Amino acid sequence: MNSEMRHIGWLMGSMLMLLVTACSSDSADDTRQEQQEEWEDARIELRGVTRAGTTDSGMGDIHVFLQDDYGTYEGAFKYHNETATHYWRAQNLKVKPGTHNFWLYGYMPAIEGITGEVLGQRQIKLSGIQPISPEDICIVTGVRVHETSALPLRGTFEFEYKNSDYNDVTVLNLLLEHMLGHVDFKFKIGSRYSQLRKIKVKSLTIKTTSKSSISATINLPANTEDVVTISYTAEGTDQTYTTTLLNTTTPVELTTTGVSVSSGINVAVGTGLSENFILESQYEVYDLKNNLLSTRTASNNLSGALPVMGQKKEVVLTVEPTYLYQLSDDDLNNPEVTIQ
């Protein structure tokens, strides 16, 4: 009998402990829920966004991080265009009520595949970057409360936020700077060679071999004179990234002054990347009567001709034979492409 009583007592004690644990868990969940309910949707809008010294609009969503004494909040500024009025509005950003100061960091555009995190004041990390990208990735380097003619101050990330008790929206201006370099390609035919042949470009691709995972630790400026520094980390196995810049059934005929054959591409250049960028161009050789004589493919290493971070650069390539004075058909019909 005593054994049975002890067994019943043990069961009752276990059930009581489970009940207490469940109540405790429920209480913690309730507390977290109450804390969440105390937060509010951030009432923030962007009216002005300046990129690389030029006012831009239509740039898409901006991924942002807000920091205050309570922690870091992650969300986006959603781009809106209504009757030619451009603005961005905070989305999925919940903050603790009250008037207090925030630090704002971010990058643009907010696209799938790129993720970010705040490592500390003036330092963020982006992952999922490709060495060749059609996207013009930019980072926030200045924040300022909106005034009629006030531009954001480079190196300033702090601003005062007013909660909804004031029934007002905190309006900001942002300064963004290009994280990658942008390169445009211009092809031309040599002036002497143009008197003997026509050249038409059919396709253009750029490729590089790099690691499968590339991240960038970005140190943001502390004042207007400081520069943005980026440290790349490449991990995983090597793979080839290829981007088609031109592929047309109507080849582009070259002139002696040059023709831009694509809208260009953005490239990441820096420590940790192979920087072995290759441009492959396919072009056709015609005589002056427009008879197709040959189709050629040229390969040019671009590593020494690429722009640096934030720079836009035009790379000019010239098509002409190596030994024009020989005037042999083999030479004329197989011209080289050289970087000017």
Side-chain angles (χ1 to χ4, degrees):
M1 186 72 176
N2 290 338
S3 175
E4 291 179 357
M5 291 295 294
R6 284 197 299 271
H7 182 65
I8 294 173
W10 179 83
L11 287 176
M12 292 181 63
S14 299
M15 292 175 65
L16 181 61
M17 289 181 64
L18 288 172
L19 181 62
V20 170
T21 302
C23 291
S24 176
S25 177
D26 291 342
S27 176
D29 289 340
D30 291 342
T31 301
R32 283 193 292 269
Q33 182 65 31
E34 289 175 1
Q35 290 175 344
Q36 291 284 343
E37 290 175 354
E38 289 177 359
W39 294 354
E40 64 179 22
D41 292 325
R43 297 168 56 83
I44 304 175
E45 284 189 6
L46 308 180
R47 298 286 174 81
V49 174
T50 304
R51 181 168 60 171
T54 303
T55 300
D56 254 319
S57 60
M59 297 185 296
D61 298 345
I62 303 173
H63 195 102
V64 294
F65 304 90
L66 296 182
Q67 275 191 330
D68 66 0
D69 294 337
Y70 297 98
T72 300
Y73 315 95
E74 185 175 359
F77 286 154
K78 184 74 175 177
Y79 173 70
H80 298 272
N81 180 7
E82 298 176 1
T83 62
T85 300
H86 305 277
Y87 66 95
W88 290 256
R89 180 172 292 159
Q91 183 182 60
N92 299 327
L93 272 173
K94 285 191 173 293
V95 298
K96 193 80 171 177
T99 300
H100 48 276
N101 289 345
F102 277 119
W103 289 71
L104 185 151
Y105 306 104
Y107 60 92
M108 184 284 303
I111 57 175
E112 185 177 355
I114 296 181
T115 58
E117 60 180 310
V118 179
L119 301 181
Q121 282 197 352
R122 297 191 180 88
Q123 189 179 69
I124 63 174
K125 180 180 179 180
L126 300 185
S127 301
I129 300 169
Q130 293 191 357
I132 310 171
S133 174
E135 301 289 349
D136 179 15
I137 304 174
C138 294
I139 50 177
V140 176
T141 56
V143 180
R144 186 165 185 168
V145 175
H146 176 75
E147 297 173 17
T148 304
S149 59
L151 292 175
L153 297 177
R154 193 169 187 268
T156 300
F157 299 91
E158 189 176 13
F159 69 96
E160 184 183 63
Y161 171 77
K162 295 181 179 180
N163 72 353
S164 56
D165 291 342
Y166 292 86
N167 196 28
D168 196 9
V169 176
T170 300
V171 182
L172 303 176
N173 290 339
L174 295 188
L175 175 65
L176 294 100
E177 296 185 23
H178 304 272
M179 178 180 163
L180 308 179
H182 182 88
V183 59
D184 290 317
F185 297 103
K186 187 175 184 179
F187 275 76
K188 69 178 184 178
I189 184 172
S191 58
R192 293 178 61 200
Y193 185 45
S194 66
Q195 301 172 30
L196 303 168
R197 294 289 187 266
K198 293 181 180 180
I199 297 294
K200 299 181 182 180
V201 178
K202 290 185 61 178
S203 67
L204 200 64
T205 59
I206 184 172
K207 64 182 182 179
T208 189
T209 300
S210 186
K211 300 297 184 182
S212 56
S213 176
I214 300 171
S215 62
T217 300
I218 304 163
N219 294 295
L220 300 167
N223 54 61
T224 56
E225 291 78 22
D226 284 356
V227 297
V228 178
T229 60
I230 300 179
S231 175
Y232 289 101
T233 301
E235 299 175 341
T237 58
D238 286 343
Q239 68 181 63
T240 300
Y241 294 85
T242 302
T243 301
T244 300
L245 303 178
L246 174 71
N247 188 8
T248 177
T249 56
T250 306
V252 180
E253 184 171 348
L254 303 185
T255 67
T256 56
T257 55
V259 177
S260 295
V261 296
S262 75
S263 58
I265 194 70
N266 301 294
V267 293
V269 287
T271 305
L273 299 180
S274 69
E275 299 185 10
N276 184 30
F277 290 90
I278 304 296
L279 182 73
E280 289 187 352
S281 49
Q282 188 180 72
Y283 55 96
E284 298 173 336
V285 182
Y286 294 80
D287 62 19
L288 296 184
K289 294 182 179 180
N290 217 36
N291 297 310
L292 177 61
L293 302 176
S294 65
T295 299
R296 302 294 179 181
T297 300
S299 181
N300 293 91
N301 192 309
L302 297 172
S303 298
L306 290 175
V308 297
M309 171 189 164
Q311 181 186 31
K312 183 176 182 178
K313 186 175 182 180
E314 183 180 72
V315 175
V316 180
L317 300 104
T318 303
V319 183
E320 59 184 349
T322 307
Y323 303 105
L324 184 60
Y325 65 88
Q326 290 184 0
L327 299 180
S328 66
D329 285 342
D330 288 342
D331 185 39
L332 291 176
N333 299 342
N334 188 24
E336 292 186 352
V337 177
T338 59
I339 297 177
Q340 182 173 319

